[in-house]
Amino acid sequence: MARFRHQEASSSTSSPSPCCYDVFLSFRGKDTRKNFTDHLYTACVEKGFNTFRDDEELERGADIKPELKKAIQQSRSSVIVFSKDYSSSRWCLDELVFILEQKRISEHVVLPVFYDVDPSHVRNQTGCVAEAFARHEENQLSKNKVKQWRAALREVADLSGMVLQNDADGYESRFIMQIVKVIDNKLSRTPFAIAPYPIGIDSRVENINSWLQDGSADVGILLINGVGGIGKTTLAKFAYNVNFRRFERSCFLEDVREVSNQPNGLVHLQIQFLHHIMSGREVKIHSVSEGIKRIRDAIISKTVLLVLDDVDHMDQIDAIFFMQDWFCPGSKIIITTRCAGLLRGHQVAKSKVYDVETLDVDESLQLFSWHAFGQDRPIEGYISLSKRVEDRCGGLPLALQVLGSSLSGRRIDVWESTLEKLKTIPDNEIIKKLRISYDALQDNPDDQNLFLHIACFFVGQGKDYVVRILDGCNFFTIVGIENLVNRCLVTIDDEDNVKMHQMIWDMGREIVRLESKSPGKRSRLWRDKDSFDVLKEKSVRKIFLSGWDFSCTCIYPCWLLIQLFFFSGYRNN
């Protein structure tokens, strides 16, 4: 189970469209734009719904505008305000048809609101609706189009809707409050889909939920820290789904590291943040400094839940603490990172750190089984193989999911061959995810080399021993190991031994294996096969004399080769 702690001073060392809006308002502007719909929009915004309404006062073109179609596709629900002249507008009727199409192909929620029209008139196309269609037919509109509109009106009238006279006795303010409550219940307001098999999440998110619900008047900051693929983002999304309704505004910014590295990435993140905080309104800013001012003005009077996913740079952390005093008391900020060591000394007292730990054996086997077999335990004949895969994955959810899915439906001999291959060549999808932490050290090649040396030769060795050897090879080993610990690439156990997660270990050795394919790049030999290959190419004496220069890239290859030379000779005798 993950640990929840105060940060200590010593630690300073063609997919579906994303849902941008909760509610899309469909209405006849001439009837209700400046009265009922305006009040409804305001109530939705105050409730915290990201709400879209078309502010264009002029009549639209012959067809529904592309941006309106996109807004409907990116909305989780539509509220259709039926007024006397709604059916008179062909643009409103086209909008209605498209909304119902979205309902049929997705989980789009539709709520009809009968503001100034009888539902029976909509269903049976009588009264004001009949008059509107008589005018459409006089204008010689396409018969197929009129037929489509009529069918849409009958369909929407059969949905569970709300009627001003029935639900609130004609009192508009009470009616609007009831509409907002119904929307809230229908949406159930969970914006993020969680992994299909959330094994172990409930116990791991418990402390995060307690922190989010503690009622503190402070602006709290929490770092969710852990190795890549361990489930930091999943935990953050789960906690966000459960708690964001407690706040007046909320925002989850994904992939901060990746987005911030793009051209104008910080400006784009600011626009995303303001878009959510300002209830879905379109925001235009042109510089980081302009964005800072807009953000300060937007968050100063509302409690906010902000999640920043995958933060990896000191400047990003500094910016968050710089803004901390702007947030309204009671706001909470969650940061997911692979590098808890980003915190500086002056930030220590103002934050908490949640260390996400790997799954235990039972949880690991259960997660793997769901992905491999579609049930919570291995099927007969695959039990021992499944346990070998679970042991190889070391409780890392990403690895369990990837390998479970890739082995699903395969024969036993394929499983056995895959396990043998994994001993030498790890799964590429897993390595790609884990390598992000290693690549983040590209400005410090000494730390990258230190990591590769440890992966090849020193895992399980005492820290003092490792420091003594590598300091003799011109490394600043103590600070280098601390940097690797902060990046979740290395751990130091209770007995002061240098350890590495199995998948991180595999990743380091895979980097070395790939490097060795380049001419002149064979700098570390950790596999028997590679060592014997080198022995075949050169004599031990030549290798020893050319390599013994006390650089760490040569000491251990030479040491290993000498051992293998004598072992090989002994075996041949």
Side-chain angles (χ1 to χ4, degrees), residues 227-232 234 338 358-359 367-368 371 393-406 427-436 501 503:
V227 67
I230 203 168
K232 301 181 296 296
T234 299
R338 302 169 187 232
T358 52
L359 300 179
L367 179 60
F368 174 77
H371 285 274
C393 292
L396 192 70
L398 170 69
L400 293 161
Q401 293 165 19
V402 170
L403 293 180
S405 298
S406 66
D427 182 271
N428 186 59
E429 184 178 346
I430 301 170
I431 294 303
K432 183 179 178 182
K433 179 79 172 179
L434 296 178
R435 183 164 175 159
I436 292 171
H501 187 279
M503 289 290 146

Side-chain angles (χ1 to χ4, degrees), residues 234-441:
T234 299
L235 278 174
K237 287 181 176 179
F238 195 92
Y240 184 89
N241 282 350
V242 170
N243 293 282
F244 79 105
R245 279 176 289 181
R246 299 174 179 273
F247 299 82
E248 295 175 276
R249 296 289 185 270
S250 59
C251 176
F252 193 115
L253 291 179
E254 297 188 80
D255 301 320
V256 170
R257 172 187 55 81
E258 184 176 340
V259 175
S260 62
N261 287 331
Q262 297 172 359
N264 293 319
L266 292 178
V267 170
H268 182 68
L269 286 170
Q270 289 177 325
I271 290 173
Q272 280 186 276
F273 178 56
L274 286 167
H275 174 79
H276 286 283
I277 295 301
M278 299 172 69
S279 303
R281 299 177 194 171
E282 293 299 321
V283 177
K284 292 182 180 180
I285 57 176
H286 303 92
S287 67
V288 173
S289 57
E290 180 186 354
I292 289 172
K293 184 179 183 303
R294 295 282 297 275
I295 289 172
R296 182 181 59 200
D297 294 341
I299 65 178
I300 202 163
S301 61
K302 303 287 184 183
T303 56
V304 175
L305 172 60
L306 170 62
V307 179
L308 297 165
D309 177 49
D310 196 13
V311 171
D312 75 332
H313 200 277
M314 191 78 73
D315 290 347
Q316 296 161 0
I317 294 286
D318 286 341
I320 295 164
F321 278 90
F322 175 74
M323 295 192 305
Q324 187 177 11
D325 291 339
W326 300 350
F327 281 84
C328 184
S331 296
K332 300 283 189 178
I333 303 169
I334 295 177
I335 302 164
T336 73
T337 182
R338 302 169 187 232
C339 188
L342 290 175
L343 288 181
R344 300 179 189 271
H346 67 275
Q347 300 161 347
V348 167
K350 297 183 177 182
S351 63
K352 295 178 183 289
V353 176
Y354 184 89
D355 295 316
V356 185
E357 295 184 353
T358 52
L359 300 179
D360 63 29
V361 172
D362 291 338
E363 291 170 334
S364 297
L365 197 58
Q366 188 178 358
L367 179 60
F368 174 77
S369 297
W370 276 115
H371 285 274
F373 309 111
Q375 60 185 45
D376 63 357
R377 60 182 65 86
I379 62 176
E380 192 68 30
Y382 287 83
I383 296 174
S384 62
L385 285 169
S386 296
K387 289 180 178 178
R388 285 170 60 189
V389 176
E390 175 273 317
D391 183 64
R392 189 77 192 174
C393 292
L396 192 70
L398 170 69
L400 293 161
Q401 293 165 19
V402 170
L403 293 180
S405 298
S406 66
L407 291 170
S408 179
R410 301 294 187 93
R411 301 188 312 272
I412 286 180
D413 60 339
V414 175
W415 279 56
E416 291 173 339
S417 177
T418 299
L419 280 165
E420 287 302 310
K421 179 183 176 182
L422 288 173
K423 292 178 181 179
T424 304
I425 305 174
D427 182 271
N428 186 59
E429 184 178 346
I430 301 170
I431 294 303
K432 183 179 178 182
K433 179 79 172 179
L434 296 178
R435 183 164 175 159
I436 292 171
S437 296
Y438 171 82
D439 291 338
L441 297 170

Side-chain angles (χ1 to χ4, degrees), residues 2 150 207 261 344 532:
R150 288 186 181 277
N207 284 328
N261 287 331
R344 300 179 189 271
F532 281 115

Side-chain angles (χ1 to χ4, degrees), residues 38-142:
D38 184 57
H39 297 316
L40 176 58
Y41 173 81
T42 301
C44 287
V45 170
E46 288 299 319
K47 183 64 177 177
F49 293 122
N50 287 342
T51 305
F52 182 94
R53 66 173 173 180
D54 182 17
D55 286 324
E56 179 59 60
E57 295 285 355
L58 300 176
E59 287 293 339
R60 291 165 273 188
D63 298 307
I64 180 174
K65 293 193 295 186
E67 52 265 40
L68 287 181
K69 283 189 175 183
K70 183 177 179 181
I72 294 168
Q73 290 172 328
Q74 294 182 342
S75 298
R76 300 175 61 220
S77 71
S78 289
V79 175
I80 304 167
V81 180
F82 284 104
S83 55
K84 284 185 178 178
D85 276 340
Y86 185 93
S87 300
S88 297
S89 169
R90 56 185 177 180
W91 299 280
C92 285
L93 293 172
D94 281 341
E95 204 168 82
L96 173 64
V97 169
F98 191 76
I99 287 170
L100 293 175
E101 287 176 1
Q102 286 302 117
K103 179 181 181 295
R104 284 189 285 271
I105 65 174
S106 69
E107 297 181 352
H108 191 87
V109 175
V110 176
L111 176 64
V113 172
F114 300 96
Y115 167 67
D116 200 16
V117 64
D118 191 312
S120 65
H121 291 173
V122 176
R123 181 181 297 105
N124 302 320
Q125 275 117 65
T126 57
C128 61
V129 178
E131 295 171 5
F133 273 89
R135 289 191 293 272
H136 291 319
E137 290 168 348
E138 285 176 9
N139 292 331
Q140 297 182 336
L141 292 176
S142 164

Side-chain angles (χ1 to χ4, degrees), residues 446-568:
D446 282 349
D447 284 350
Q448 287 187 323
N449 276 319
L450 180 65
F451 167 74
L452 297 179
H453 290 324
I454 292 174
C456 288
F457 307 119
F458 292 106
V459 173
Q461 300 290 334
K463 181 181 176 182
D464 291 343
Y465 172 76
V466 176
V467 170
R468 187 167 67 252
I469 294 294
L470 296 183
D471 274 357
C473 301
N474 298 320
F475 280 94
F476 299 99
T477 315
I478 292 177
V479 67
I481 288 177
E482 184 173 343
N483 290 339
L484 297 180
V485 169
N486 286 337
R487 286 283 175 185
C488 298
L489 291 169
V490 164
T491 59
I492 307 298
D493 68 12
D494 294 338
E495 297 179 356
D496 216 31
N497 294 320
V498 178
K499 293 295 187 68
M500 221 177 253
H501 187 279
Q502 179 65 57
M503 289 290 146
I504 297 289
W505 195 359
D506 290 346
M507 182 262 291
R509 293 186 169 192
E510 175 67 0
I511 291 171
V512 173
R513 187 188 73 84
L514 294 174
E515 283 182 350
S516 69
K517 291 185 175 182
S518 302
K521 290 291 287 183
R522 192 191 292 271
S523 60
R524 302 169 185 86
L525 300 175
W526 57 273
R527 294 194 307 162
D528 292 356
K529 180 181 181 301
D530 292 340
S531 303
F532 281 115
D533 287 345
V534 172
L535 281 169
K536 291 176 184 177
E537 296 169 6
K538 298 183 179 182
S539 69
V540 175
R541 183 174 183 276
K542 287 181 180 178
I543 296 170
F544 184 77
L545 291 176
S546 64
W548 192 263
D549 62 356
F550 289 93
S551 69
C552 198
T553 56
C554 297
I555 286 177
Y556 269 80
C558 293
W559 172 78
L560 182 58
L561 285 170
I562 292 168
Q563 280 194 323
L564 291 173
F565 176 80
F566 287 112
F567 176 76
S568 176

